[in-house]
Amino acid sequence: MNTLKPDIYLAPFQGITTATYRKVYAGHFKGVEKIYTPFFTAIHKHKSLSAKAEELAITHIAKTKIIPQVLSKDADEMLRFASYCEAKGHDEINWNLGCPYPRVANKKRGSGLLMHPQLIGEILEKIEANTDIHWSVKCRLGYLSPEEILELAPIFNDSDLIELIIHARIGKQLYKGSTDLKAFQSALDSLQLPVVYNGDVFSVEDFKALSQQFDVSGWMIGRGLLVDPFLPAILLNFDLPPIAEQQLLIRKFIEDLYLTYRKQMNDRPQAINVLKELWSFMAYGFDKPQRIFNAIKKTNSFDAYETVVARVFSEHKWVGSAAELYKKSLLNDQIL
Ligand SMILES: Cc1cc2nc3c(=O)[nH]c(=O)nc-3n(C[C@H](O)[C@H](O)[C@H](O)COP(=O)(O)O)c2cc1C
């Protein structure tokens, strides 16, 4: 087990970990070294990125580094993305080889590309020969089978990739079923570059068990952190206020996020929809997740949203990751 303070990364979530979320999150919570942007795709020209300039404008928030992510099977498109990001001051890019959705995977993109090791090798060679920027990969163990990563290992080992983040599932599983820890260990044994673990870290217990099992260079955490934004600080043993005070800090975070979205979206009601996506996870940090989420889901005006959120904080208790309510809902399909 790695005895140094582990590096913790925040996983990307399309539609949730937006530039606004990243800025507000990193302003309120400590413990995350790197935050990955949701994937960029369809980069036909530099201009296609100018429309999204704000999403790529920031390279660091305090000490937290922002890593742009690209979803592509086209080296030229990736080079276009790299040169745009480099001009904005980024020095690292992540290549998405993990997206599981059939409409992506069937086009040999995301985890669908994992079945084509030769193509991955060719793309890596081309992008590495033509950029100075650092590249990392976020992948799964495979698309159809967890053995695919073993075929890819020599290619990754020969590359200049600075690290490989592995979500310990296969693409076909989407987000269902359990992580395959045995296959993750086999992958780890065959890889000679820094490997970051990703998948189902929802609590201190999950983290303890996994960090006793795997000697990895870092941990990428997604849903567990969306549910409990304090999770990285908890895992790193930072001093944290008692749970009742955490509830006040969570409230400040949610209010800041709400106001920042409203401002950024010129008070368009769309701001509530973005927040609803986040609440589908955050509700699980409270004692009655399903009841809370159902109430938030129904709101369709700023007034209604504010009233429901005020009620959540006055009538419900923040329980954070310790209660493992999100995990229970996944495991048992429980109504909580
Ligand atoms: C709604 C949603 C959107 C996601 N968007 C992305 C994305 O843009 N890029 C990516 O690499 N992974 C994406 N993921 C995968 C997560 O980053 C992460 O790998 C996955 O949730 C497993 O980690 P966890 O168990 O810690 O949540 C997404 C997952 C979900 C559920």
Side-chain angles (χ1 to χ4, degrees), residues 26-326:
H28 284 254
F29 300 99
K30 293 194 169 59
V32 168
E33 296 282 323
K34 294 182 185 177
I35 302 182
Y36 292 72
T37 74
F39 64 76
F40 287 80
T41 194
I43 309 151
H44 306 303
K45 9 183 171 103
H46 249 230
K47 254 199 182 154
S48 7
L49 286 168
S50 317
K52 297 168 186 159
E54 243 176 74
E55 283 288 320
L56 288 167
I58 293 179
T59 61
H60 290 80
I61 304 166
K63 283 191 198 146
T64 307
K65 193 170 173 184
I66 308 299
I67 315 293
Q69 187 189 65
V70 63
L71 174 83
S72 178
K73 59 169 178 192
D74 171 358
D76 291 326
E77 179 178 47
M78 292 166 75
L79 289 169
R80 263 193 305 280
F81 185 67
S83 96
Y84 184 91
C85 292
E86 216 170 355
K88 294 279 169 197
H90 292 279
D91 65 4
E92 184 179 336
I93 291 178
N94 182 260
W95 184 18
N96 179 325
L97 290 179
C99 185
Y101 295 110
R103 66 173 191 282
V104 168
N106 289 343
K107 290 188 197 149
K108 283 196 207 163
R109 295 189 304 156
S111 63
L113 198 51
L114 297 172
M115 293 186 293
H116 306 277
Q118 196 187 330
L119 190 51
I120 290 181
E122 285 164 13
I123 294 172
L124 280 175
E125 224 170 86
K126 188 158 174 191
I127 58 172
E128 286 173 354
N130 290 287
T131 40
D132 293 326
I133 212 157
H134 296 300
W135 289 90
S136 64
V137 158
K138 177 168 181 275
C139 66
R140 294 195 174 215
L141 295 165
Y143 183 64
L144 291 176
S145 142
E147 314 264 292
E148 288 165 32
I149 189 89
L150 303 179
E151 258 191 75
L152 284 158
I155 294 163
F156 290 142
N157 289 340
D158 277 349
S159 74
D160 296 331
L161 289 175
I162 56 162
E163 63 193 2
L164 187 67
I165 303 158
I166 307 176
H167 177 186
R169 283 189 171 83
I170 55 168
K172 268 285 179 194
Q173 276 181 275
L174 300 174
Y175 294 93
K176 298 190 195 108
S178 50
T179 47
D180 189 340
L181 300 184
K182 214 164 145 226
F184 181 82
Q185 183 62 58
S186 307
L188 205 51
D189 293 339
S190 14
L191 288 159
Q192 290 148 15
L193 68 164
V195 172
V196 172
Y197 175 89
N198 174 232
D200 297 13
V201 176
F202 296 116
S203 64
V204 174
E205 282 65 35
D206 293 335
F207 184 70
K208 270 194 189 146
L210 288 164
S211 50
Q212 271 162 14
Q213 200 172 344
F214 301 127
D215 189 4
V216 288
S217 70
W219 302 86
M220 175 178 267
I221 303 182
R223 293 165 297 172
L225 185 154
L226 297 182
V227 171
D228 183 354
F230 285 109
L231 187 56
I234 295 170
L235 301 182
L236 293 165
N237 284 321
F238 289 175
D239 279 337
L240 280 180
I243 196 95
E245 220 172 294
Q246 284 181 31
Q247 175 155 344
L248 298 176
L249 297 173
I250 290 289
R251 182 169 194 166
K252 278 193 184 154
F253 166 62
I254 290 175
E255 284 175 356
D256 192 1
L257 199 55
Y258 167 69
L259 293 175
T260 313
Y261 269 129
R262 274 189 71 165
K263 194 166 164 206
Q264 186 235 329
M265 298 170 94
N266 294 322
D267 274 345
R268 270 180 287 131
Q270 179 64 13
I272 299 179
N273 294 342
V274 185
L275 286 157
K276 283 181 191 173
E277 292 288 324
L278 177 63
W279 271 104
S280 69
F281 294 99
M282 282 216 70
Y284 287 89
F286 293 86
D287 54 1
K288 289 274 179 283
Q290 206 60 58
R291 193 181 299 173
I292 290 172
F293 184 59
N294 287 343
I296 291 201
K297 210 165 51 177
K298 284 192 204 125
T299 65
N300 53 15
S301 70
F302 291 128
D303 280 351
Y305 174 86
E306 286 175 28
T307 306
V308 170
V309 171
R311 253 195 8 242
V312 168
F313 282 96
S314 61
E315 292 173 12
H316 292 278
K317 267 210 176 81
W318 170 256
V319 291
S321 49
E324 298 198 311
L325 296 183
Y326 185 76

